[in-house]
Each structure stands twice: as C-alpha cells, then as structure tokens.
C-alpha cells in the first residue's frame, strides 16, 4: 500500500493505482480528455500532466497512467503544471475551436482564445472511440489512420467495414459528438428497428416479463460477437453478470409434461400483393403492438417511418386466414385485436381508421360491446377483404399514399383507399417445428399442423400419450382468455396425477406362458421398451408388466404362441373375427 | 342382380387409425359400410394368422391400418408390420388368394377423411375382384365327416 | 560443429584454402557506392579479368561500405592495399592491365588530398582514415557480407562461442557493465545495466530486439553495418540473448533498406545452416532464434515502444514507459532492445575484454562511435572515431573542412531532434561579403564550441545530443531558421500524432517558423516558440516530441540575431529564405553579356546587349538561375 503526497495531502492507495485514482481518492480533480475508467490509460491528451517529485528528481508525468508510487510528491496545480495545461488546451483549441468539452476546460484555465490554428477540426483524436472498439467491444472496426497532422479516426480505407457490428459504443463514448450514429453501418429506420435494428444486448425481454430481470442476448452482445467487452460485468456492483454461462442440456425426470409451445405468425412478405417488407409503412399487428407500447423506440407514439404521425390507417383482417391459398381456418384473435388497434389509433392520433373485414367475429364476453364502441368512435368498417396495396396513384389524393384496394361487398363496388399506414393481421399458424415436437412427445398433429388433443370434447388438454398435456395456441388459434383457461385445465389434470403419486396403467400387457415358450427371444428383439428379458435359468422370456405398454408386437411374432396380450389374446381376436364374419354363414367359407 | 357387397375385415391401430375412423364418424363422413373394424393396440400386433383366419372365415378383403411411419405410439410397431406385410401377401398368394385382397394403409388420428377415402377405394377394388373363391386345388380331399354327412342329408 | 574448437577448425580450414598472397579486388558495394555505379564497375572488372585470362585467379569481392562515400565508387586491391576512388567502369581495363598484371600503381586514379594536393596510395595514408578508429566497422569493406566464411576467417563467432562455453550469463552482464558500453541509439543508457534489469525481470519468454530502424535524415550508420557486416550483429545478439536468458530475437529493420534486409536474411540463413543460430548453438545447449521484422518506414518506429507495437502488428505508436520495456516490453514480456551499433560492439567487448574496451574513449563515454558525416563538408561518409574526439578533428581533420572554401557555421548532431551547435558566432550574423578573405576556411574558426569533445554528456550540455550518430555540417549559406523549419517539417510529418503537444505543438511551431521564413514573423514569435518548446519538451509522450524542440531551441540559443533579422528587418542573412531575398544586378559589374537574360525563366530580366541589365522584382521568382550563370559576379542576392 504505497503512500504518496498530492498537493500536500498524504494518501494511501492500493497497489497498482494511478496518480489520477489517488487524486480522486482525495477529491482532487485533475482534468482529462482521453481518459475513461473502463479503458486502459492511453496518455495521449496530456491534459492530466502533473509535476512529480521522487527524491530530488522532478518530472512531468501524466496522472492517468503513472503509477501511484511510494513516497512520490505530486503537484497538480503548480505554476509549471498550469502553464503546460494552458498551452495544451490552447493547442487543442487551435485544432477544434468550438467544442464544448474544450471550451469548458479553457474557461476553467482562463483562456479566452487560442493563439494557434484555425480550429477547423471536430475530432480531438482522444482515441476513446478507437479504444472502445478495440478494448471493450473487440470489434476492431475503427482505428487511427495516417500519422502526424494527418492522423484521423476511420475504418480501413474509409470503407464501411464488415467488422463493425453497429453497436454504437463509439458514438456513446465520443466526447465531441463528431461521431454520429448515421455514420455507422447497419443503422435501420424506425420500423425495421422494431424487429431488426440494433437492440440493447442486455434487456428485460418486455415489461411484464417473469422473472423481471435483464438477460444478455448473445446475438446482440458484443462479447459474444467479438470475445471482448464485458463492460456490464465491470460496472455491475453486485458482480451478477456471468459471461461464462452457457446453454446447457439438462435431463430432468418428470412424471408429466405440459406442451405449450405457442404458435408462429404467417410471413406476410410471402404475400407480395400486400407489399410487406417493400413499403415502410406496411406493418404487422405485432409490430404495431410494439410500436404503440410505452417502451417502444417512439415511446408509444404511433409514427410512420419518417417520424410523422399517420393521418389515415387501414387495418386489414384475415391476412392468410380464411384463405384457401394459405390457411383455411379462422385465426380467431385478429378481429378483436384489430378493434383494439383501431381504438388506439383513434385515441392517440385521431387518424381516420378503416377496418377491412370478411366477417366481424366478436363472440366472447364483452367483445361485441367493444365492436359497438368502435363503431361509435367513427371507425370505418368495410366488409370486404383488402386485396392489394400499391403506391401507384391513379387519382388525385393518392400521391405519396399507400392505396388499399378492396371490394366493398355491402356497396357492391371496388374501392381504393389512400392511407398513410397499413396494419396487416396475419394468420396464426403452427410453429415451424411442430411436427418435430409432436414426434418427440408422441403427439399427433391435426391437418392444420396444430397439436391434436385426445378428444375435442372429452379430452381437450390430454393427448394420445399418457402424462403429456397441451395448452394454448400450440393446440389451435385462441385468444388469451381461452389459453389461460386451457392452461389451467391442463394444470389441474397434471396436479391430479401428481397428487395421486402413482400411475394407473392399462391392463393390456403381454405375458409369456413359461411352459410353451421355446426361448427363441424373438419377443425380446422386437420389444421397443425392453420390457421383455430372458430368464437364463428357466430359458424362457419374461415380460415386466410395469414396463410393458401393451403394443402386442411380441405376441404377433411369437412362433409358439407362448406370448399373449391381455384382452388382445390371439383367441380373443380370432373370436372377434369369427364373430364379425359369423353371419355370412358358409357362403364364402373355406371348405372345411 | 343385386350388387356384390364384399366383407372386409379391418385391423385398426388404437392410436391413429381407430381414432381416425372415429373422427370420420364424428365428422359424419360417408363411406361404405362393408368394413368390419377390429381394434388392436398397434398395427404390429396384427399376426398374419389373423389375416389368414379372416379369409378363411369368409372375408373378401383385409385392411390393416397403422400410424404413419415415425408416428407410432410404440415407436416401431408399424415398422414391424411394414416388414411383415410383403410376407403376408406372398403367403396368401400361395393359398391362391389374390394379394390385392389385403392392404396396408397409414391413417393418422386426424385423417378421418383419408380413412373414408381408403375404405371407399378398397371396397370398390374388392367389389371388382368379386367374392373370394378358393381355388379348387385348395379344396380338401372329400373326407366324410360327421358335419358333411349332416349337410349331405 | 561443436564448440570453440569446431569453430577454430573451420576457420583454419578456410584459411588453408586461401592464399594470403593472392591478388583480390575489394569493390565497395555499400548503398552509396552502388548508387554511383559500383555494380557496373564490379562487372567491368570481372570482364576485364576474363579478357586477361585471370578469371579464377583474381577475385572481385563486393564488400560492405568503406565509409568514404564521397569518393565512391571505390576499390582496394589486395594484398598491396592500393586504393582507387571515384572510378568509372571504363577504368576497369587499365586497372587490370596495369595494376593487376604489371603491379603498377596508376597515379591519376589515386586519391588526391584536396588541401595538400598530395596523392596517397594506401587507404591508411588518407587523412579521412587517419584519425579514425575503425573497430565496429573494421570488417566493413573487407568481407563479403553474403559469405559467412569471410566473417569466420576473421575470427567471427568466436566471441559468441567464448560467451557460450567459457562464461556464465552473469559474468557476461558484468563484463558489459564493466566495459562502460552505452546504448548507441541516442539515449546512451548503459547497456550492461539494461541487460541486468532484463535478466532479473520476471516473465518468460524474454526477447532481445535489434533496433535497425535508424531513420534520421542524413544518417546511415546502422544501415551500412547491416549491409556490410550483418554477422557481427547476429553474434552480438546471441551473446546478449544468452546473458539475458532469451531465446527469441527480432531485428526491426525498415523495408526501405532492401540491401540491408537481404544481406541480413542471407546471414541469418547461413548462420542457421552452420549451427550458429537456432537450436543448440554449437552444441552448447543454448537455443536462439532470430527473425527479421520489416518496418514500414515510420520514423517514430525507432522509438522502442512504438517499435514493439509495430512488431506486435499494431499501429506504431509509443506508449508511456513508466513501466520499463525491460520488464514489460514486447507482448508485455521482458524485452531488451539495443540498436545495431550497440549489438555490433558486444562481440568486441567479449573478445577483447572490458578493460580493453574501457581504455578507449572518455571517463563516461567508452569505445568508439560511428558517425555519418554529411553536409557541407569535403569528405562526407561514414566515420568511426573514439569517444572524446573533438568536433574540430571530426569535421576538419577527417571531414577535410568545409566544401568550396566557404565559412563554417554550425554542425547538427543527433538527428532531427538533435540540436545545432554553433561553431562561429561572428559569422552567423554577418553577411559573407562583410568578412575578410582571411576569415574564410577552417583554419580560422575562432575558439568556441568547435573543440567540444564528442561524448554523451558534452553534446547534451551543448543543447544537442549524440543521437544515433548523424552529423550534419553547415556552412555560411545555411539559414538557421530554415534549418529549424526543415527539421520541424520532418517531425510534423513523422510525429505519430498520438499526443497533443507533439502533434499540435510541432505543427504550430512549424507554422510560426514558416511565417518567419516568409517574412511575416511577428515580434514575440521567438518567445512564443520558446514557450511552446517548453511545453512540448516537458509533456510529450515519447522522446520524439520530448526532443523535437531541440532544433528550434538550439538555433535560437546560438543564432538569435538571425531570427531577429528575419522578424525585424525582414531579411535572411544567409540568403536562403526566398521571400526575404531580392536579386538585383550591380550595374557597374554587369557587362551586358545577356547570359542572365536567356537563363531567366520568367523574363524578369531586361536590358540590351552590352548594357547593364535590370531585374524586375515583380516578375522575379527568385530561382537563382541568373546568379548561377553570371560570370562577372554582377548578380547580387540580398
């Protein structure tokens, strides 16, 4: 623990600290430009130069990177220090005349104007951005180029660099504001930003998330892109950040499983006529939901990609739903959320809202009333599906607008609606990997790809596999109240099993008759559950009935007839056959 | 003359095909009533002797339905049936039964319509084949039995 | 090959093959001589030998630099040691037919002393070489650098073998410390102390680096050593690495020295092939690998930390050295860096012993120093002198005095960051024509700093520094403000730009100097320059910025009146700064020959033949063409 003196005050500091840190400990401020506590000391601006005396030797050193050594005496405001500091600030001003960060330093030192240069530059070459990019982010996309007075911060050959991950850390740290986000590759305009643009790598997934704790998104996190950064770990006072955590496969033994894997939304860009992905202001319901949310990049304001609020909005129902080309079924939730959007748009922007529907399906408690309220709020309801969105104007008032074409089936006419923004209500569909999940859990899928319940009325949450339940939109499109109800039902079913503590199996297991078993072991080879084993002593096969699921394959292959399945014994099935065909009499019978 | 109505015995797996058949029913789908279903736990349970016995007892066709490959509730029971099926057909051919009279189909629990289609089509085919006539060569030697004596009377 | 015995046996075997009385021609193939046609000369000599059926009997050897670059291309014919300077390819035939075949010295090809007019046959008789003490450079010009056998036959690698087999590492460090060898790169830090710190530093592996970046304008000592005798550097590095405990070394050499890179590369390959480098050197159990790292030619990469950054593949920028590189250098490992000349001195110390070495030089500066003597001096070239020799001896005895009989004004040492040392205070402020004829010439230099001994302390005290050994002599036609401007211009471009005082300070100092040279100087500029120098020197990150104000400070210190003349009188006493001079024609001297009229590129001169001509100042661009062509001294520049 070295002890040193700064401006006459003695201070004891930890080994490895710098003079600057020691001064901070004493509350003595030493001005800096190129220093940042998260970055390695650089010593480029020299503003922090102080006078240091060790023994009889007096030297000018930079406080930011000179170690706080035992017995040194430091002067931070001696005449010599101030003289140099003034000169350096004056030289910096000669380079960049109007920077607030320099102006403040100059005012503190009593410098009115610089005797040097023209001050035409904007960048003070402190290197904070470069070091952030190298040391913290690790992307190493920008660096200094050229030397001497030609020195500048740039990407290789002034080209956009693929190494840039668009994290914006350089912009955030720049003390001069010369670096702007627009300069950084991959900057997305407002709507794309909702889904694609740079997000904070550490975030709470959404406001109501449980647990309500931040997580690190490895796809966005600079550390997982470049191997560096870890700034969050450095600043976290609780040491809660752990970058070593890895995805782990854990095997958990359970008695029951609830499959609630949810749904996908149909990709609107496949339906070219709606121009999704082509026109900035054609967005999906989910994007509108994010946009109008209080935590959105716009702060909940409903804005177009140019930052202006829309004057008219069209909401198109049944995009991919109730459509023989895509999904024949009704997605059930769109009518109601479209009504909610209409209400929100009216309330927040006062814009004209058109709802283009095939049928309004507002069955549900309080739903019809909400529909009625929208009608009263002057939302325009047009019975007819939106057929195309174009920007090709055909009439005055259509220039610069999105024109929605539709057939108004009540008026019996084709209409063109010029609007500023279009919200599509895409179909809910089974998740892309539903078939794979179904196979994993032994579930079935209905024709539309959603998981099949055991029985539509008697077993709505049960499945063909014992102990495996389904709930929510993985079973079929449904809204939140229905999902909650189904989830609760599944939970109740599960709890009843858990409470019982034992499982009742069907008594349809196989048995091997010892006396007739020839010990051929064919049954063992076909058993998918390893329920059959060979008794070496008796030289016969034995079936473990607790393991046996009763498929009966072993019975079918048994050459001696020793293996039999309870309730499905050969004799029983034969009798069934006999019974079924008994009435035929001898018309076709095999000649006996 | 009244149309020939074949008798078809169907062995349906309990998980997929039987449920599929059930769905066809609850869906009010129409299909020929010629099929006489027998529920087994798995298509793998279907012993070739069941098929032979069905024909012996007067069936004109036998339909075996199981889960689609990969979907078997017991993982691989339907594969076992799949392997067994060509042998069943060969065996029947040796008995003089047209192999077309037995058929293996995959019908899942959600495929009520497919079940109806399969049944309709298969019934149609058997109808074309006509009643199963055992080849004369398969006829047993004329042995006098108590039963035959009674019949002769 | 094993041990010293193996090495000596090899040496003996080579010696046996060679006839000591055989005739051979050493053609200097240093970069200086090559640029003057040495390659053609060597080819012509070989052809001439073939014509006279002497091929295979007389060898033509292309050697490293002999130092006397002024007189290139030059050859020495052995064993007689006949020295022929300033040859042309056409001279080859005469040399072969007369000197080689008939053993006759060709009088008119011999070196003629410009002062005495005498001709000298042998190199050693020439004043340029007489006061030199060529130790480090002793084999330059004798051996073919691409043939390891040449180095071996002169006892090469025996110092390394001695170190590896007969000395303990600590003993070697002690020997170097005792010898008083100081770093030849500029700072003059005792090499032994550095080695000891590096040896004692914690961390593995340790590295040794040879700084061969030497990029000072007008300095080429290190390049010549690398070109002419690369093995001596390799040998020095083997000894150093063994003493320090390093197994890996780098030679950082700029890519602009292709010959140096090539010869060094060849030398490393040959040494490796003969088990003098690599694993288990001479079966001693010691491994040492040496790699060449080619630099991009940034001056700042001669700074040790910037050099290491460059080797690491980063931008060549210095960093703070509050933690020394011997403790945390290359890749943050203990690193010992010395320059070419220092390493080349090491085998000498080990071979002859510390006592022998420390007997040369002064109390604090031991051994010899190689200087590149350039500028307005008669004998430019590479000179090696014992420490403590006076500037006068170097410049006048060795250098042969100022060229063209002009007045001697100043000498600049230590590279661009070095200082200019006044030699004649009286000459500086006065225009040349004000001085009497007898004041001209070297003999009349007044008693001043010209007798300054050349050693680390004396030079620093005088406001300059040893630097890596550049020595630029300037005569009265040199403007000191312009000199300062020139060096600051160089430094502005070569500053890495990392720290503010160096980047902005030097740039703005240059701007002030430029305006002074342009005649727009302001009262107070000198004080401002000094004020800025103070900050730049005190607060810059590395030595480049720290010493950058030296040219300004030393010229102000010794030539302040010259600055004042520029600022107050708008006059350049040396007649260099074009904005401050004016050309006119002295009507009484002008004969109206019309020569200047024809020479003037801008038609600024008017006048009838046989009548006095006039220069129009409005049209004159001050190119000086008229002055050059006037045979009657009628054109006046002032």
């Amino acid at each position: 623990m070295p002890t040193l003196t700064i401006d006459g005050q003695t201070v004891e500091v930890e080994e490895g600290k710098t003079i600057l840190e020691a001064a901070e400990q004493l509350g003595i401020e030493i001005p800096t430009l190129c220093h940042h506590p998260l970055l390695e000391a650089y010593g480029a601006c020299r503003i922090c130069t102080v006078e240091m005396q060790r023994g009889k030797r007096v030297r000018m050193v930079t406080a930011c990177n000179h170690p706080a050594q035992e017995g040194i005496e430091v002067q931070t405001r001696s005449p010599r220090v101030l003289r140099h500091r003034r000169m350096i600030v004056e030289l910096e001003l000669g380079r960049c005349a109007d920077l607030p960060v320099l102006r403040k330093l100059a005012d503190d030192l009593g410098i009115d104007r610089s005797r040097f240069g023209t001050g035409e530059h904007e960048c003070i070459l402190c290197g904070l951005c470069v070091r952030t990019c190298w040391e913290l982010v690790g992307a190493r996309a920008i660096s200094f180029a050229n030397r001497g007075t030609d020195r500048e911060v740039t990407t290789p050959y002034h080209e956009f660099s693929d190494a840039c991950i668009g994290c914006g850390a350089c912009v955030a740290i720049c003390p001069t504001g010369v670096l702007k986000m627009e300069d950084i590759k991959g900057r997305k305009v407002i709507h794309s930003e909702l889904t694609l643009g740079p997000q904070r790598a550490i975030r709470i997934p959404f406001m109501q998330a449980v647990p309500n704790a931040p997580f690190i998104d490895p796809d966005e996190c600079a550390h997982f892109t470049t191997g560096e950064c870890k700034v969050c770990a450095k600043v976290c006072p609780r040491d809660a950040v752990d970058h070593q955590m890895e995805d782990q496969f854990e095997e958990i033994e359970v008695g029951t499983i609830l499959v609630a894997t949810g749904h996908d939304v149909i990709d609107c860009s496949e339906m070219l006529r709606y121009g999704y992905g082509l026109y900035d202001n054609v967005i999906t319901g989910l994007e509108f939901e994010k946009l109008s949310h209080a935590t959105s990049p716009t702060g909940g304001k409903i804005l177009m990609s140019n930052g202006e609020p829309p004057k008219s909005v069209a909401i198109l129902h049944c995009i991919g739903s109730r459509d023989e080309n895509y999904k024949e079924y009704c997605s059930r939730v769109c009518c109601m959320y479209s009504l909610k959007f209409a209400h929100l748009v009216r309330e927040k922007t006062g814009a004209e809202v058109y709802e283009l529907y095939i049928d309004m399906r507002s069955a549900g408690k309080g739903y019809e009333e909400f529909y009625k309220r929208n009608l009263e709020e002057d939302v325009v309801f047009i019975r007819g599906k939106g057929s195309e969105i174009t920007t090709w104007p055909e009439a005055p008032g259509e220039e610069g607008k999105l024109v929605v074409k539709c057939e108004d089936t009540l008026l019996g006419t084709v209409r063109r609606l010029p609007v500023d923004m279009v919200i599509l209500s895409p179909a809910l569909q089974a998740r892309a990997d539903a078939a794979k999940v179904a196979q994993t859990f032994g579930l079935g899928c209905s024709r539309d790809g959603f998981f099949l319940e055991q029985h539509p009325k008697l077993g709505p949450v049960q499945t063909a596999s014992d102990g495996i339940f389904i709930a929510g939109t993985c079973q079929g499109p449904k809204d939140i109240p229905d999902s909650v109800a189904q989830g609760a039902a599944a939970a109740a079913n599960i709890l009843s099993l858990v409470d019982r503590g034992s499982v009742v199996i069907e008594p349809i297991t196989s048995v091997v008759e010892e006396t007739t078993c020839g010990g051929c072991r064919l049954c063992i080879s076909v058993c998918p559950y390893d329920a059959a084993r060979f008794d070496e002593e008796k030289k016969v096969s034995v079936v473990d009935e607790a393991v046996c699921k009763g498929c009966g394959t072993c019975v079918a292959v048994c050459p001696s007839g020793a293996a039999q399945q309870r309730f499905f014994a050969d004799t029983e099935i034969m009798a069934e056959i006999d019974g079924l065909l008994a009435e035929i009499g001898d018309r076709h019978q095999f000649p006996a | 003359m009244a149309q020939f109505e074949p008798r078809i015995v169907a062995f349906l797996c309990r998980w997929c095909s039987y449920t599929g058949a059930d769905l066809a029913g609850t869906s009010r789908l129409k299909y020929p009533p010629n099929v006489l279903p027998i529920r087994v736990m798995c298509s793998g349970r279907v012993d070739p002797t069941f098929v032979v016995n069905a024909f012996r007892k007067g069936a004109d066709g036998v339909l075996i339905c199981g889960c689609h490959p990969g979907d078997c509730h017991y993982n691989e029971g339907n594969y076992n049936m799949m392997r067994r099926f060509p042998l069943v057909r060969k065996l029947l051919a040796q008995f003089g039964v047209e192999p077309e009279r037995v058929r293996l189909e995959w019908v899942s629990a959600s495929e009520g319509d497919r079940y109806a289609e399969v049944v309709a089509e298969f019934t149609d085919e058997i109808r074309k084949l006509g009643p199963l006539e055992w080849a004369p060569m398969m006829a047993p030697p004329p042995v006098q039995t108590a039963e035959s004596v009674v019949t002769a009377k | 090959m094993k041990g010293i015995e193996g090495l000596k046996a090899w040496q003996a075997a080579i010696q046996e093959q060679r006839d000591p009385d055989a005739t051979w021609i050493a053609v200097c193939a240093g970069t200086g001589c090559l640029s003057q046609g040495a390659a053609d000369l060597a080819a012509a000599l070989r052809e001439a030998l073939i014509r006279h059926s002497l091929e295979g009997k007389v060898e033509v050897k292309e050697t490293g630099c002999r130092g006397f670059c002024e007189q290139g291309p030059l050859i020495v014919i052995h064993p007689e040691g006949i020295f022929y300077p300033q040859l042309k390819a056409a001279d080859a035939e005469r040399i072969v037919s007369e000197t080689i075949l008939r053993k006759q010295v060709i009088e008119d090809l011999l070196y003629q002393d410009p002062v005495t007019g005498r001709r000298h046959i042998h190199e050693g008789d020439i004043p340029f070489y007489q006061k030199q003490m060529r130790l480090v450079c002793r084999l330059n010009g004798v051996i073919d650098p691409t043939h390891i056998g040449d180095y071996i036959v002169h006892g090469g690698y025996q110092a390394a073998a001695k170190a590896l087999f007969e000395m303990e590492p600590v003993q070697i460090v002690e020997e170097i410390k005792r010898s008083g060898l100081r770093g030849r790169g500029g700072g003059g830090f005792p090499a032994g102390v550095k080695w000891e710190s590096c040896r004692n530093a914690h961390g593995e592996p340790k590295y040794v680096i040879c700084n061969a970046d030497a990029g000072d304008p007008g300095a080429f000592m290190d390049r010549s050593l690398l070109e002419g005798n690369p093995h001596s550097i390799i040998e020095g590095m083997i000894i150093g690495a063994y003493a320090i405990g390093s197994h890996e070394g780098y030679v950082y050499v700029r890519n602009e020295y292709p010959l140096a890179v090539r010869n060094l590369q060849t030398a490393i390959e040959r040494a490796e092939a003969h088990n003098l480098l690599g694993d288990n050197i001479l079966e001693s159990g010691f491994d040492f690998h040496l790699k060449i790292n080619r630099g991009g030619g940034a001056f700042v990469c001669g700074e040790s930390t910037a050099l290491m950054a460059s080797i690491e593949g980063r931008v060549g920028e210095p960093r703070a050295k509050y933690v020394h590189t011997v403790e945390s250098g290359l890749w943050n490992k203990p690193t010992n860096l010395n320059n070419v000349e220092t390493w080349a001195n090491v085998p000498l110390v080990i071979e002859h012993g510390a006592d022998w070495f420390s007997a040369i030089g002064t109390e604090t500066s031991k051994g010899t120093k190689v200087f590149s003597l350039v500028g307005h001096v008669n004998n430019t070239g590479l000179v090696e002198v014992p420490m403590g020799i006076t500037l006068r001896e170097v410049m006048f005895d060795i250098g042969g005095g100022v060229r063209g009989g002009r007045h001697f004004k100043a000498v600049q040492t230590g590279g661009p960051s070095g200082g200019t040392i006044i030699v004649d205070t009286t000459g500086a402020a006065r225009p040349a024509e004000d001085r009497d004829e007898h004041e001209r010439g070297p003999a009349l230099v007044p008693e001043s700093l010209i007798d300054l001994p050349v050693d680390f302390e004396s030079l620093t005290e005088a406001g300059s520094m040893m630097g890596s050994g550049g020595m630029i002599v300037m005569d009265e036609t040199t403007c000191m403000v312009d000199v300062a401007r020139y060096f600051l211009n160089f430094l502005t471009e070569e500053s890495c730009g990392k720290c503010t005082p160096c980047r902005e300070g030097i740039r703005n100092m240059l701007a002030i100097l430029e305006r002074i040279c342009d005649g727009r100087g302001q009262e107070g500029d000198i004080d401002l320059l000094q004020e800025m120098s103070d900050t730049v020197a005190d607060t810059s990150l590395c030595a480049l910025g720290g010493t950058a104000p030296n040219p300004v400070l030393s010229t102000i210190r010794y030539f302040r009146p010259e600055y004042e003349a520029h600022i107050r009188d708008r006059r350049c006493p040396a007649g260099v700064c074009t904005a401050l001079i004016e050309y006119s024609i002295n009507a009484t001297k002008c004969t109206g020959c019309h020569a200047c009229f024809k020479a003037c590129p801008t038609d600024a001169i008017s006048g009838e033949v046989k009548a006095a001509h006039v220069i129009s100042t409005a049209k004159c661009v001050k190119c000086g063409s008229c002055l050059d062509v006037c045979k009657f001294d009628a054109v006046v520049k002032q």
Side-chain angles (χ1 to χ4, degrees), chain C residues 157-176:
Chain C
Y157 287 105
Q158 287 188 16
K162 182 181 171 189
L164 291 177
F165 291 98
E166 292 173 6
M167 296 172 84
E168 289 301 313
V170 184
Q171 224 180 325
I172 298 170
V173 171
E174 220 30 65
E175 194 76 3
I176 297 292

Side-chain angles (χ1 to χ4, degrees), chain A residues 59-212:
Chain A
R59 284 171 72 198
M60 305 303 292
V61 298
T62 39
C64 66
N65 59 1
H66 195 285
Q69 291 158 332
E70 177 64 39
I72 57 171
E73 276 178 46
V74 177
Q75 299 288 330
T76 71
R77 296 189 68 82
S78 69
R80 189 174 170 195
V81 169
L82 290 177
R83 191 170 76 234
H84 290 322
R85 203 174 284 166
R86 278 198 197 97
M87 176 58 78
I88 293 167
V89 171
E90 214 179 321
L91 287 168
E92 287 278 23
L93 277 174
R95 178 183 173 82
C96 312
D98 299 317
L99 284 182
V101 58
L102 284 181
R103 198 59 254 167
K104 193 188 166 297
L105 272 174
D107 290 344
D108 291 350
L109 292 164
I111 300 163
D112 184 33
R113 54 175 292 276
S114 173
R115 286 170 285 179
F116 314 112
T118 49
E120 75 277 19
H121 292 275
E122 287 182 286
C123 172
I124 55 173
L125 299 172
C126 64
L128 282 173
C129 51
V130 173
R131 285 177 288 142
T132 300
C133 192
W134 282 61
E135 290 174 28
L136 295 186
V137 178
R140 303 176 176 201
I142 51 172
S143 183
F144 286 112
N146 302 324
R147 58 173 182 258
T149 47
D150 296 333
R151 187 179 172 90
E152 60 178 328
V153 173
T154 181
T155 50
Y157 305 105
H158 297 93
E159 301 279 335
F160 270 139
S161 165
D162 285 342
C164 175
I165 59 172
C167 67
C170 48
V171 175
I173 206 162
C174 178
T176 69
V178 62
L179 263 176
K180 293 184 184 63
M181 201 63 202
E182 287 84 56
D183 304 337
I184 293 177
K185 182 195 167 194
R187 174 71 177 168
K188 305 289 196 312
V189 288
I190 186 161
H191 287 159
S192 329
E193 195 172 63
L194 298 176
T195 49
L196 303 168
Q199 292 201 49
R200 275 181 198 277
I202 301 187
R203 55 178 188 267
I204 295 171
F206 48 92
M207 292 268 284
Q208 296 86 0
V210 179
N212 203 255

Side-chain angles (χ1 to χ4, degrees), chain A residues 46 80 83-84 148-149 151, chain C residues 317 495 499 507 534 538-539:
Chain A
R46 321 304 286 177
R80 189 174 170 195
R83 191 170 76 234
H84 290 322
T149 47
R151 187 179 172 90
Chain C
E317 280 171 10
S495 159
C499 75
R507 179 168 79 124
D534 183 32
D538 250 3
T539 62

Side-chain angles (χ1 to χ4, degrees), chain A residues 277-407:
Chain A
L278 185 64
Y279 308 131
D280 279 343
N281 294 316
V282 177
I283 60 176
T284 65
L286 210 57
E287 285 167 346
F288 179 85
E289 188 71 44
K290 287 186 186 177
L291 182 69
S292 67
H293 194 274
T295 58
S296 83
T298 63
K301 288 201 187 87
I302 296 163
L303 302 175
M304 298 188 290
S305 62
N306 62 4
E308 297 286 319
K311 292 202 172 59
S312 50
V313 177
I315 302 172
L316 275 57
H317 295 218
C318 299
I319 303 303
S321 310
R322 305 184 68 194
D323 184 336
E324 294 197 352
N325 299 305
Y326 300 100
K327 306 290 174 191
E328 290 181 28
Y329 53 82
C330 165
S331 290
R332 287 188 62 188
V333 295
C334 328
C335 282
M336 291 317 294
Y337 77 60
S338 295
L339 288 176
K340 183 183 85 173
F341 292 169
H343 175 74
L344 284 172
V345 173
R346 291 294 296 157
E347 186 178 271
K348 289 190 177 182
T349 67
E352 189 92 22
V353 180
Y354 300 93
E355 289 267 1
L356 279 71
Y357 66 97
I358 301 176
D359 295 297
M360 278 313 295
R361 299 195 162 176
S362 50
K365 198 173 175 183
Y367 288 7
E368 185 65 18
E369 292 86 329
F370 187 61
Y371 175 30
K372 204 174 163 211
R373 184 172 159 196
N374 269 280
L375 287 169
E376 284 161 3
E377 281 170 353
D378 294 332
V379 175
V380 180
F381 285 85
I382 298 172
R383 187 168 178 274
K385 190 174 169 181
S387 59
E388 191 185 347
I389 296 167
T390 175
T391 52
W392 191 265
E394 283 181 9
E398 290 185 355
E399 289 93 352
K401 298 271 187 182
L402 295 163
V403 180
V404 181
K405 289 207 274 190
C406 68
E407 185 191 355

Side-chain angles (χ1 to χ4, degrees), chain C residues 321-376:
Chain C
K321 280 197 276 192
Y322 300 135
V323 177
H324 297 289
T325 53
V326 287
E327 277 164 21
S328 174
L330 191 60
W331 288 299
N332 297 323
K333 300 290 178 196
T335 305
N336 183 82
L337 177 139
N338 285 116
N339 90 327
V340 171
E341 198 183 332
T342 319
W343 286 120
N345 266 301
V346 170
L348 292 173
V349 175
I350 296 300
E351 190 183 349
H352 300 290
D355 295 330
W356 169 84
F357 189 82
S358 60
I360 308 162
T362 68
E363 189 58 39
T364 54
S365 305
K366 303 292 186 191
T368 59
K369 178 77 192 89
V370 185
F371 286 99
S372 59
L373 185 61
V374 294
H376 301 136

